[in-house]
Amino acid sequence: MVAMARVALHHPACEGDPARMLSCLDDLLGRVLARRTMMTCCLVVLEPTRQRLTLINAGHPWPLIVREGSIDFVERSGLPLGRSRKWQAVQTELSLSDIKAVLLYSDGLVEAPGPSGEPIGYSRLRETLGRCLQESVAASIASLDAWFRQQAPGDPPADDVTVLVAQRISGEPGGRA
């Protein structure tokens, strides 16, 4: 299904703004899959020159936004794709001016069971994220990976674990992602 979605997003009928892209993808998935299954996703458009971040969440775990002194979920989500003929984009636009980092992740990160069998959970991820951010994206991901392996030592994980970090690099004029 993911391969089909990647192809569909590059189809000329799906070109345009982010809401149009996901609406087109929803329509295509609905027709091909006959509304028997669904796909979650979060489409992010990063526009550094305009200092803007646009998010459209279709049933995916809420992104985390790191600002000086706070780490918050973007608590906006629409329906998953391919499931409803009434799908509508729920779009959020944020200014990049005070954002230090953005974390996107799959549910396998927060639903992974720890040694006691309890899932890691959203609150534990939020509490830990600030300590995991390092001087570079690669170091931040390595720190998150080490934390995850400590929390959920099962190998391989029960579900896929995907993490994407976008962060400002310190010391650059205006920062750089």
Side-chain angles (χ1 to χ4, degrees):
M1 187 159 35
V2 172
M4 184 172 37
R6 289 187 62 169
V7 169
L9 283 174
H10 291 90
H11 189 276
C14 289
E15 290 179 354
D17 66 42
R20 167 91 179 109
M21 292 171 70
L22 285 189
S23 182
C24 179
L25 178 56
D26 176 66
D27 183 55
L28 291 169
L29 289 173
R31 281 190 271 144
V32 171
L33 302 172
R35 309 267 177 215
R36 287 188 301 268
T37 190
M38 63 182 177
M39 179 180 111
T40 69
C41 78
C42 186
L43 180 65
V44 179
V45 178
L46 177 66
E47 297 176 274
T49 57
R50 294 179 70 190
Q51 287 291 295
R52 185 170 68 183
L53 179 75
T54 303
L55 297 147
I56 299 178
N57 193 345
H60 207 63
W62 293 333
L64 277 163
I65 304 294
V66 180
R67 294 181 172 94
E68 191 66 45
S70 72
I71 300 174
D72 299 301
F73 290 104
V74 179
E75 296 185 28
R76 301 229 0 188
S77 187
L79 295 171
L81 300 174
R83 192 65 186 233
S84 169
R85 294 193 191 281
K86 296 178 183 177
W87 188 88
Q88 290 188 344
V90 177
Q91 183 167 309
T92 303
E93 290 189 9
L94 302 169
S95 169
L96 287 175
S97 62
D98 65 340
I99 294 177
K100 292 174 55 176
V102 177
L103 176 71
L104 301 165
Y105 52 95
S106 63
D107 59 356
L109 180 68
V110 291
E111 293 175 359
S116 68
E118 288 288 317
I120 289 174
Y122 293 95
S123 59
R124 205 171 340 168
L125 172 62
R126 180 179 174 204
E127 291 165 4
T128 303
L129 181 57
R131 292 189 301 273
C132 289
L133 290 178
Q134 305 297 315
E135 289 298 313
S136 71
V137 170
S140 295
I141 290 173
S143 180
L144 275 166
D145 182 55
W147 170 79
F148 174 76
R149 290 180 188 282
Q150 181 182 18
Q151 298 298 309
D155 194 29
D159 193 1
D160 69 293
V161 177
T162 303
V163 173
L164 185 136
V165 175
Q167 73 183 70
R168 262 184 219 281
I169 297 172
S170 303
E172 295 277 333
R176 192 182 72 161

